[in-house]
Amino acid sequence: MSTTRMTVAVLGPGGVGGLVGALLARAGHRVVCLAGERTVAALRQDGLRVESKRYGQFTAVVEADTELREPVDAVFVTVKQTALAEALDRVPADGLGTAVLVPLLNGLDHLAVLRERFPSARVVAGTIRVEATRTAPGRIAHTSPFADLELAGPADDFAELLRQAGLGVTVREDESAMLWDKLAFLAPFALLTTRHQADVGAVRDRHRPELLTVLDEIAAVARAAGAPVTAQGLLSFFDRVPDTMRSSMQRDADAGRPLELDAIGGAVLRAGAAHGIATPATARLVAEVAQSAQRVD
Ligand SMILES: NC(=O)c1ccc[n+]([C@@H]2O[C@H](COP(=O)([O-])OP(=O)(O)OC[C@H]3O[C@@H](n4cnc5c(N)ncnc54)[C@H](OP(=O)(O)O)[C@@H]3O)[C@@H](O)[C@H]2O)c1
């Protein structure tokens, strides 16, 4: 990164992208949000409006367009996986050059999609730990006391610019381990809370045998993929989180929105098959969640 004032595109300025984009704009970077026409109009008129316990209430002036029309230093990809294919049409592959491209989607498989589509860009895998909700176009409620990214390095200079904007950033060496550290908790959490329409407290109390089986399967897959994850470690994390915690997959299911089921559950099943690890309980859960989502449709 040669300049300290970056031009950053944010593809999908929702809960995650809106918060990251607003913080970068507030720190003095030029931010171009890429979105549909309604959101572009709202952003051009009112900017990104953030309400956050951590960062306060503020409005960030950003640019907005329906497609990327110029070179940028970095692109954050922050749509949901279910919208990724359509959203990528807003970023011409030959216009991106050697920009840093950071996806913050949950899951694994979007990385291969991005690397194939943008071969000259530097795709830096990222994850984010945050609770942020797009309450209306351009309006973001950030409800967690943290907004912590992990980036698979090398990405030290870029990470430092993000830290200066107020984000927590850790640079990790091993991309696969980083992604699996997140997915190994997220997948059982999202699948079980959605399947049983229950918060995490009810899952660990009423569905503990199923929880233990699924954690065993997913930890085995994660270890085969290179992450030092154990079922016991995952279980103790499950047992520590607040009773009332619900997953965003569950919120999407309640609202009748498309689920990131393939990105989260499908990714575990595909990796299990690739590493020769049986995942029957996880497969059953994925199928049951898919069936109940179809019934809602
Ligand atoms: N939110 C969280 O707290 C959180 C935490 C960790 C990880 N994640 C992950 O982060 C990713 C993003 O989640 P999110 O909660 O930020 O989603 P979100 O609030 O629904 O935001 C997605 C954004 O994508 C935009 N979008 C949809 N289709 C588009 C298209 N074709 N072109 C351009 N923009 C499009 C939406 O635009 P409109 O505003 O116009 O609808 C919206 O602004 C997911 O993979 C999620 O699992 C989220």
Side-chain angles (χ1 to χ4, degrees):
M1 203 68 31
S2 56
T3 59
T4 51
R5 184 178 189 254
M6 298 185 286
T7 297
V8 181
V10 175
L11 178 62
V16 168
L19 179 65
V20 170
L23 288 171
L24 288 170
R26 189 172 74 157
H29 298 288
R30 183 173 163 234
V31 173
V32 183
C33 293
L34 304 173
E37 283 177 11
R38 180 166 163 243
T39 297
V40 165
L43 291 173
R44 285 180 177 166
Q45 183 166 323
D46 298 325
L48 276 167
R49 296 204 250 175
V50 174
E51 276 191 38
S52 162
K53 280 185 198 148
R54 173 164 177 170
Y55 302 110
Q57 188 171 340
F58 69 98
T59 299
V61 176
V62 293
E63 296 171 40
D65 210 334
T66 54
E67 63 182 271
L68 186 64
R69 300 176 202 274
E70 60 179 308
V72 291
D73 296 306
V75 182
F76 281 95
V77 181
T78 50
V79 291
K80 289 193 167 158
Q81 180 255 351
T82 46
L84 181 63
E86 201 186 322
L88 286 179
D89 288 341
R90 301 188 187 282
V91 184
D94 53 1
L96 203 53
T98 56
V100 175
L101 199 151
V102 184
L104 294 176
L105 287 74
N106 278 317
L108 309 170
D109 300 322
H110 55 275
L111 284 159
V113 172
L114 293 173
R115 288 185 171 127
E116 190 181 336
R117 188 159 175 137
F118 304 108
S120 60
R122 189 154 71 84
V123 177
V124 173
T127 64
I128 186 164
R129 203 169 63 91
V130 72
E131 281 169 23
T133 308
R134 164 209 171 285
T135 53
R139 287 182 173 235
I140 312 302
H142 171 217
T143 46
S144 56
F146 47 80
D148 292 337
L149 276 84
E150 290 195 329
L151 300 176
D156 287 344
D157 293 351
F158 185 63
E160 189 48 35
L161 291 175
L162 301 183
R163 282 188 205 108
Q164 286 167 8
L167 291 156
V169 188
T170 304
V171 178
R172 307 242 331 228
E173 283 181 9
D174 185 330
E175 175 179 304
S176 180
M178 180 190 86
L179 295 170
W180 275 100
D181 270 351
K182 174 134 201 224
L183 190 63
F185 174 75
L186 177 71
F189 169 58
L191 293 172
L192 286 159
T193 52
T194 307
R195 164 67 183 89
H196 296 297
Q197 299 180 311
D199 60 25
V200 74
V203 165
R204 65 191 172 207
D205 291 346
R206 290 189 223 136
H207 303 280
R208 200 164 185 86
E210 186 181 18
L211 171 64
L212 297 180
T213 308
V214 169
L215 292 185
D216 271 341
E217 290 181 4
I218 294 179
V221 178
R223 271 200 306 283
V229 171
T230 63
Q232 192 52 46
L234 290 173
L235 182 63
S236 66
F237 195 64
F238 256 90
D239 282 339
R240 280 199 313 271
V241 297
D243 275 0
T244 51
M245 208 165 116
R246 301 172 84 241
S247 65
S248 60
M249 184 183 286
Q250 191 176 6
R251 283 193 288 274
D252 285 341
D254 289 348
R257 290 188 291 261
L259 307 185
E260 291 188 305
L261 183 59
D262 185 67
I264 293 171
V268 172
L269 303 184
R270 284 188 289 278
H275 292 288
I277 291 167
T279 53
T282 310
R284 191 172 57 243
L285 258 181
V286 170
E288 288 168 350
V289 172
Q291 263 169 19
S292 53
Q294 267 168 7
R295 278 200 293 277
V296 172
D297 287 353

